[in-house]
Structure formats: structure tokens, C-alpha cells
């Protein structure tokens, strides 16, 4: 006999007897309560997403037709100026938005939204982080607009809005308050129940009158009800969600233990036969919730170093206008506008200093502790702190296009990936729970046959004490803490598994230009002939001001006038008129051919890259230009040597230059004139010998080589970190961070191993004790909570700066 449904198939609301809004679900007609729910359900089913209804934990919110006001509001998000704060222009027509999702209640909601969005024509990718509810959606602007995506999300009963860190913080506070209130209810109940239980435990048999004993037991039941029906509900919801997905989760043993103990105790109280354990129920729920709350707070602390990056950008800025300044929201700023950043304020945008000079701290962004001087014409990065005098800054990038936003995207990408150990721990946890349930059932059966009174508490102790939470937390918490620590050092992890591999590195390959050196030519010294160095530099700056040659950057001088009648001579140099005089600059042989005065003999025997300067009649002088070593290169190389690593210098520069640098830096293996294919072959040869290779390059020119290495670090200062290749990006270009990163990677590996050993050893020791009846349920809950906390607090050692020393 078929039972007629009285509630809405989509939202669970009671059906009206006078209205009918049927849908067809898996060849069966189902009722809905209104046109809104009917439309949403049809959309889900027709999109091929009908599995949502079998996976969800609870009915959806009641759907309502989108009002015209909401449609108009969503259409506003197509405005390019409004998108500036949360939409990234990936390419000419490709956009990526950072959104905060509302209405998500379970993993099935994530599944539904991701697939629904991905099916929209023009959507390239969509992913939602269940922990933060932050969604990243990428689409082709030629095929679909953002408002259409937001409407599609609203059409299935959810809401998506531009990501707002304050909104996320509000969600965390709400979750924290809920956890604290559940903990408070469980703690209050535990104390009250123990007031009745302690006299019973301490009195002799028959000392308490049966009526009073019955009254105290009933009072214990009533006081335990809030714990079972409210405080413990997170365990039930999680267990039900896992069971519907046909798997055994870590909360399932706890849920079974709580319910079994409470039901059995209630049965004993009603029938007057058997033991009563209401005190154990309230106590181990309280201890478990205490452990969960401390664990939640510790995990948030582990990821605090990465989350604080999101908070660096202020909400308001001082916009400069004809009347002076006005305070406006950062989101309303336009590229090309100017803002005033006062001393002690955080710079809200990427920009160029147009007026003023001072110092800027990039400590929170790159880990650079020293203040960086900034003058007119220099670039500044949003999220850095102005330490000295006021600066007038022209806006060049805002919102999702800033360097800080690109760094946050790197961290999102890294934390979304799961390394091999984390995946293995999840798999082990899955079958471990199944084994635990079987063990608890067998323990109950054995003790029921031999000592029925102790069968239930022993079964509960087995279920609770061996929960594999510590095993599942062992790896991800350590990796989160280590990733946050590296972010503080200025080393961004783009791919989380790289941290695991970094601890196994045996060989380090370094590029020369842009890695060991600054990658920018600088004047080493000046060989004077018939002009002072100051005068020669001024003339050279005018001549080289518009040149695209790499060596021209060595002569850049602010305010230098442009030379007139410029002419370029391929493979030779260039000429131009400065103050009415024709000058030549370039290769000494070229300049010598244009000047009536012969080249000085001292120039013929000079070493290095030479740039000569002369007029048609007079040889002025010669500059020796070179790419200088980074100040910390020698110390960093020595630290890598001391760590027992084999170092290799592989560069496209001349062999003589590379060998000379290698000799100076005590690097035994050096190869010059190496093409990208030569570098690939070099890495392959090392890997075939069983070596694990770390490649350090500039992140742009070395992209294929970086991809080939086991782990790669891209030098990230001055480049777009969103496009820099590499498993990690060194934002501040400080080579001294590399030995610290290697040490931290090894410490991370050791802590992960410690956590895994502890988790396995604890369960191996605790399970036999529980099965043999030596552990009570409340001690079991204390042990389980303590094991998880040990893992989390052990991992937090990676957050301390001394951990990378």
C-alpha cells in the first residue's frame, strides 16, 4: 500500500490540501508546496543532479521566486568597477570571482552547488571550501555574466555574495558561540548529575532508601536529556551524513556510544533491572566537546598566519581631490586616482609613489624585517605599512588584481590540496572505524555472556577510546601550521605536497641570473679618460633612457633628460645628442670606430662587461657593468652545504663566468651556456640516479625546468606571483630563507611521524585495556580527547619562529 506524502519533497513544509505542484523524481511523482520549490526541484533534476536528494542531511530551505529587487541587485554585479574588489581578470575574457556561500548546511550542498555551477555554459571551473564556505568561480565573460551565475545559484535555493572577510569572521564567531553553549550545557548537566551520582557511589548497598534512589536516578535522566538531545547533536549529524554516503566516519562510534548508554540506562531505570550510567553520558560528552573546542581553536591558530593576510587591506582610504582629501571605501577607488597614506597607516592598494618619501614595512607580507625606502616613482604593495612621512600614491591595482590577492589565491590553492600522507591517514581512518565497530560488538557479546553488568560500559569505552581522530589530524594540522610559518618567512607554498617532498631533498640546483645575483646590471666601477664619473653617468643616462637593452637598466637615473636624434646600431650601441653634442655609447670596439681619439690601452685589457662612452672627438670613459651577487648568497650557500646537500650551478651565462662564480661560492658542480633543454637533461640525469632535486630559478624563464624538479622555488619579488611557476614562491628573494625552509620541512616530517606514531601506539595500547574492562567510559572519553589535543598542540610547535632555525 502506497502512503501519500503530506510534506514538500523539496523543503519538508506541510502541503496545502487546496494546491498541487507535482514534480517527477526517478519515475515517481512527488509533491511540492509551492511554485518556487517546484521550479527549484525541476532545475536540480533536469540538470542531472537528482542525487542531491539522496545525499542531503535535511530538507532545503523553502524556495521562493526571485523578486525583481533581487534580480536588479544581482545585475549590478556585472559592473566592472564593482567587480574590482573581488573579481580577477585572468585573461582578456576570463574572470575569476571569490564568493562567500550562504545556505550551505552539509557536504551534499557543496556537491550540488559545484556541479550546478559547472554545468552553466561558459563556466570553466567552480570549487567551494567546506571549512570557510569560500567559493572560487572562473568563467568566460563572452559566454556568461556573473549575474547569471549568481541567479543560477539563487534558483536552487542558495545565495552567493562577494567574499567578505568580516562575513567569514562573523561565521566563525557564530560557530564558536554555538560550540561554547553546547559545552556549557554539557558541563552544567555533568555537574548536576554528579551531585546525585557521587552519594550513590559512596554509600553502601541499601543505605539510601529505594524511593530516594529512584528519585535521584530520574533526576539524573532529566538532567542528561539536554546533553543527549542538544549537546551531542553534532556527533549525530556527522554520523548520519557519513552513513547516507555509505561510509563509517569518526563520529559514528561516539554517537553509538552516547545513544546506547543513554537508552540502556533509561531502560534499566524504567524496568528496575541493570546498571545506570547517566553520569558517564554527560561526562564523556562534556570531555569530548571540550577536546573538540580546544582542537577547533588550535586548528584556527595553526592557520592564523595565512588568514591574517586577508585582513591586511584596510576598508577605507584617503582619496585626493581638488578640495583636499575625502575618506572613501577602497572598493570605490579607480586605477589612476591618487590617495594619501599617512604615517602608520596600511597601504590599501598596489600603486606608484607620486609625492613624498619614506620607509615601508613589508614584514607581514614577505617576512622582510628591515624597512624599505620609498621615493617618487617607486612601486608599493597593498598590505604594507607606511612607517614614516605621508605618501601620495597613484592607484595601479585594486581588489583581486593586487599582489596580496594573488598570494592569498596561492595559499587557497595549496591548502586545498591533500598530500599523500593525509590521504593515506583518511583511508586508514575509514577502515579503522569499521574494525572498531566490530571489536566493540564482539566485546559486548563476550562480556554479555560472562559478566552482563559490565558489557555496556566496556562496549562504550571501546567505542570512545579508540576513535581515530588523532590519526586523521596528524598530517593536515602539521602541514597547515608549517605553511603558515613559511608564509611569515615570505615563502608561499603553492602546492602543499611540496612541503612533504622538501624534507627528502638531496640536491639543489641554482640558476645564476636573478637567483644568486640580482638579475639587474649594476655599474661596478668607472674607468675615467677625459670626463668625471658624475658627468659621464648623466650623459649615459640620457642616452640609455629609452633603450630596451638589458644593460641599459644600469644607467637609469631619475629626472635625466632624453637625448635627441637617437639612432641604434645593431650589435654595437647607439648614439644621440645631449646638450648639442653627439655622443656614442656601447661596445668599446663600436665606440672606437666612431671616435677620432683612439681607445685607451687600459680599456683593451679590462675584464667584464664594458660600456664605452665618447663623442666624435673625445673618449670620455668606460663603465664596467656586472650583475652583482645577493648579499645573503654566500651565507645561504654555506648553510645548504652544512645541511649535507649537493649544490649545482646551472646557468645560460658564459662558461667562464659560471665557473668563476662557482669557484667563489665553493660550488663543485657548475655548467655554463646551458639551454632550457640542457637544464632539463641535467635534472633528469640526477633523478635517474635516485636523487631528489630542488630547483631554484626566476619563476618565469625557468618555468619548464622548475616543473621537472621534485620541488621548485621561484624567486617571486617583482613578478606576478599568480603566473610564476614553482611549487613555492620566495616573495622577498631572500636566499637565507631556503635553509630555514628545509629545516622546517624536516621538522614538519618529524612532527608528522611523531603524531602518526602516537596515534597508532595510543590506539594499540588503549583498545586492549578497554576490551579487558580496565577503562571506564569517562576515562575513555578523556583519553580520546587528550590524544587529539596532543596531536594538535604538537603540530602547533611548527608555528613558532624558532621552529625554522
Amino acid at each position: 500500500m502506497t502512503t501519500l506524502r503530506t510534506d514538500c519533497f523539496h523543503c519538508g513544509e506541510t502541503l496545502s490540501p487546496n494546491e498541487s505542484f507535482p514534480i517527477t523524481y526517478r519515475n515517481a511523482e512527488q509533491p511540492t508546496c509551492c511554485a518556487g520549490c517546484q521550479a527549484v526541484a525541476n532545475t536540480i533534476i533536469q540538470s542531472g543532479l537528482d542525487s542531491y536528494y539522496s545525499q542531503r542531511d535535511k530538507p532545503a530551505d523553502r524556495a521562493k521566486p526571485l523578486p525583481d529587487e533581487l534580480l536588479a541587485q544581482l545585475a549590478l554585479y556585472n559592473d566592472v568597477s564593482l567587480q574590482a574588489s573581488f573579481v580577477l581578470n585572468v585573461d582578456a575574457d576570463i574572470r575569476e570571482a571569490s564568493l562567500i556561500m550562504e545556505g550551505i548546511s552539509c557536504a551534499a550542498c557543496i556537491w550540488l552547488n559545484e556541479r550546478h555551477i559547472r554545468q552553466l555554459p561558459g563556466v570553466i571551473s567552480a570549487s567551494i571550501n567546506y571549512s570557510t564556505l569560500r567559493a572560487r568561480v572562473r568563467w568566460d565573460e563572452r559566454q556568461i555574466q556573473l549575474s547569471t551565475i549568481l541567479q543560477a545559484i539563487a534558483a536552487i535555493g542558495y545565495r552567493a555574495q562577494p567574499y567578505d572577510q568580516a562575513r567569514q569572521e562573523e561565521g566563525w564567531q557564530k560557530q564558536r558561540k554555538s560550540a561554547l553553549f553546547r559545552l556549557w550545557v554539557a558541563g552544567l548537566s555533568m555537574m548536576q548529575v554528579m551531585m546525585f551520582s557521587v552519594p550513590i557511589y559512596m554509600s553502601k548497598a541499601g543505605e539510601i532508601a529505594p524511593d530516594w534512589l529512584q528519585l535521584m536516578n530520574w533526576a539524573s535522566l532529566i538532567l542528561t536529556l539536554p546533553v543527549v538531545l542538544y549537546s551531542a547533536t553534532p556527533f549525530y549529524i556527522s554520523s548520519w551524513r557519513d552513513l547516507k554516503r555509505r561510509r563509517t566516519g569518526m563520529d559514528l562510534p561516539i554517537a553509538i556510544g552516547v545513544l546506547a548508554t543513554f537508552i540502556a540506562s533509561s531502560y534499566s531505570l524504567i524496568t528496575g533491572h541493570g546498571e545506570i550510567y547517566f553520569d558517564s553520558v554527560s561526562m564523556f560528552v562534556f570531555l569530548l566537546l571540550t577536546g573538540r573546542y580546544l582542537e577547533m581553536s588550535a586548528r584556527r591558530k595553526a592557520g592564523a598566519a595565512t588568514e591574517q593576510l586577508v585582513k591586511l587591506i584596510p576598508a577605507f582610504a584617503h582619496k585626493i581631490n581638488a578640495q583636499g582629501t575625502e575618506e572613501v571605501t577602497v572598493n570605490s577607488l579607480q586605477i589612476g586616482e591618487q590617495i594619501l597614506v599617512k604615517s602608520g597607516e596600511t597601504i590599501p592598494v598596489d600603486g606608484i609613489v607620486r609625492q613624498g618619501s619614506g620607509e615601508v614595512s613589508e614584514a607581514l607580507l614577505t617576512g622582510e624585517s628591515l624597512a624599505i625606502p620609498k621615493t617618487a616613482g617607486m612601486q608599493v604593495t597593498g598590505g604594507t605599512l607606511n612607517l614614516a612621512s605621508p605618501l601620495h600614491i597613484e592607484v595601479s591595482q585594486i581588489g583581486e588584481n593586487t599582489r596580496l590577492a594573488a598570494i592569498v589565491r596561492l595559499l587557497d590553492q595549496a591548502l586545498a590540496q591533500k598530500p599523500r600522507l593525509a590521504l593515506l591517514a583518511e583511508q586508514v581512518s575509514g577502515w579503522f572505524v569499521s574494525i572498531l565497530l566490530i571489536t566493540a560488538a564482539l566485546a559486548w557479546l563476550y562480556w554479555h555472556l560472562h559478566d552482563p553488568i559490565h558489557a555496556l560500559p566496556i562496549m562504550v569505552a571501546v567505542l570512545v577510546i579508540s576513535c581515530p581522530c588523532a590519526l586523521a589530524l596528524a598530517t593536515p594540522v602539521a602541514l597547515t601550521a608549517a605553511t603558515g610559518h613559511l608564509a611569515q618567512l615570505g615563502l608561499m607554498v603553492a602546492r602543499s605536497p611540496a612541503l612533504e617532498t622538501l624534507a627528502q631533498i638531496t640536491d639543489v640546483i641554482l640558476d645564476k641570473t636573478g637567483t644568486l645575483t640580482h638579475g639587474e646590471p649594476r655599474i661596478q666601477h668607472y674607468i675615467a679618460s677625459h670626463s668625471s664619473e658624475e658627468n659621464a653617468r648623466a650623459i649615459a643616462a640620457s642616452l640609455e633612457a629609452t633603450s630596451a637593452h638589458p644593460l641599459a637598466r644600469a644607467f637609469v637615473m631619475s629626472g635625466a633628460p632624453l637625448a635627441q636624434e637617437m639612432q641604434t646600431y645593431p650589435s654595437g650601441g647607439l648614439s644621440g645628442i645631449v646638450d648639442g653634442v653627439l655622443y656614442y655609447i656601447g661596445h668599446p670596439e663600436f665606440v672606437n670606430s666612431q671616435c677620432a681619439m683612439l681607445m685607451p690601452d687600459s680599456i683593451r685589457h679590462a675584464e667584464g662587461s664594458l660600456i664605452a662612452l665618447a663623442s666624435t672627438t673625445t673618449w670620455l670613459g668606460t663603465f664596467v657593468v656586472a650583475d652583482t651577487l645577493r648579499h645573503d648568497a654566500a651565507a645561504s650557500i654555506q648553510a645548504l652545504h652544512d645541511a649535507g646537500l649537493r649544490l649545482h650551478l646551472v646557468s645560460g651565462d658564459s662558461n667562464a663566468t659560471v665557473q668563476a662564480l662557482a669557484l667563489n661560492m665553493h660550488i663543485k658542480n657548475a655548467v655554463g651556456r646551458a639551454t632550457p633543454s640542457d637544464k632539463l637533461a641535467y635534472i633528469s640525469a640526477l633523478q635517474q640516479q635516485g636523487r631528489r632535486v630542488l630547483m631554484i630559478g626566476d619563476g618565469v624563464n625557468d618555468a619548464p625546468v622548475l616543473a621537472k624538479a621534485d620541488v621548485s622555488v621561484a624567486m617571486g619579488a617583482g613578478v606576478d606571483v599568480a603566473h610564476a611557476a614553482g611549487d613555492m614562491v620566495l616573495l622577498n628573494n631572500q636566499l637565507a630563507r631556503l635553509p630555514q625552509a628545509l629545516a622546517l620541512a624536516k621538522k614538519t616530517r618529524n612532527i608528522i611521524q611523531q603524531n602518526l606514531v602516537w596515534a597508532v601506539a595510543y590506539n594499540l595500547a588503549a583498545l586492549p585495556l578497554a576490551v579487558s574492562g580496565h577503562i571506564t567510559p569517562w576515562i575513555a572519553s578523556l583519553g580520546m580527547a587528550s590524544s587529539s589535543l596532543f596531536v594538535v598542540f604538537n603540530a602547533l610547535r611548527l608555528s613558532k619562529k624558532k621552529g625554522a632555525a
Side-chain angles (χ1 to χ4, degrees), residues 22 64 99 126 139 147 183 199 309 365 382 444 498 507 527-528 570 586 657 679 685 687 700 720 737:
K64 299 178 181 178
L99 307 171
W139 72 95
S147 61
L183 181 60
L309 290 174
L365 188 63
W444 179 87
D507 292 66
I527 304 173
T657 303
K679 294 179 182 180
Q687 290 173 332
V700 179
D720 184 352
R737 301 304 191 191

Side-chain angles (χ1 to χ4, degrees), residues 129-203:
N129 186 311
Y130 192 14
S131 300
T132 62
L133 300 184
R134 186 192 302 175
R136 288 203 176 273
V137 181
R138 181 173 291 194
W139 72 95
D140 189 336
E141 189 77 6
R142 293 168 297 184
Q143 301 182 49
I144 192 171
Q145 291 186 311
L146 178 58
S147 61
T148 307
I149 297 173
L150 299 179
Q151 288 174 23
I153 295 171
I156 58 171
Y158 299 86
R159 293 289 185 272
Q161 298 188 28
Y163 176 76
D164 182 0
Q165 198 280 327
R167 188 185 295 270
Q168 186 189 39
E169 182 69 21
E170 181 182 340
W172 153 251
Q173 291 299 336
K174 183 178 179 181
Q175 180 185 7
R176 174 179 170 272
K177 290 178 181 177
S178 175
L180 276 175
F181 189 70
R182 292 180 193 277
L183 181 60
W184 177 80
V185 170
L188 184 62
S189 171
M190 178 192 70
M191 290 187 291
Q192 297 300 319
V193 172
M194 290 304 296
M195 288 177 61
F196 295 120
S197 300
V198 169
I200 297 175
Y201 289 143
M202 297 185 68
S203 63

Side-chain angles (χ1 to χ4, degrees), residues 29 70 122 139 148 172 185 204 243 263 269 309 314 326 328 370 414 494 535 598 601 656:
E29 187 175 283
L70 178 58
W139 72 95
T148 307
W172 153 251
V185 170
K204 297 178 181 179
L243 287 174
I263 292 171
L269 177 60
L309 290 174
E326 62 173 324
V328 299
L370 298 176
N535 181 58
L598 293 177
D601 289 338

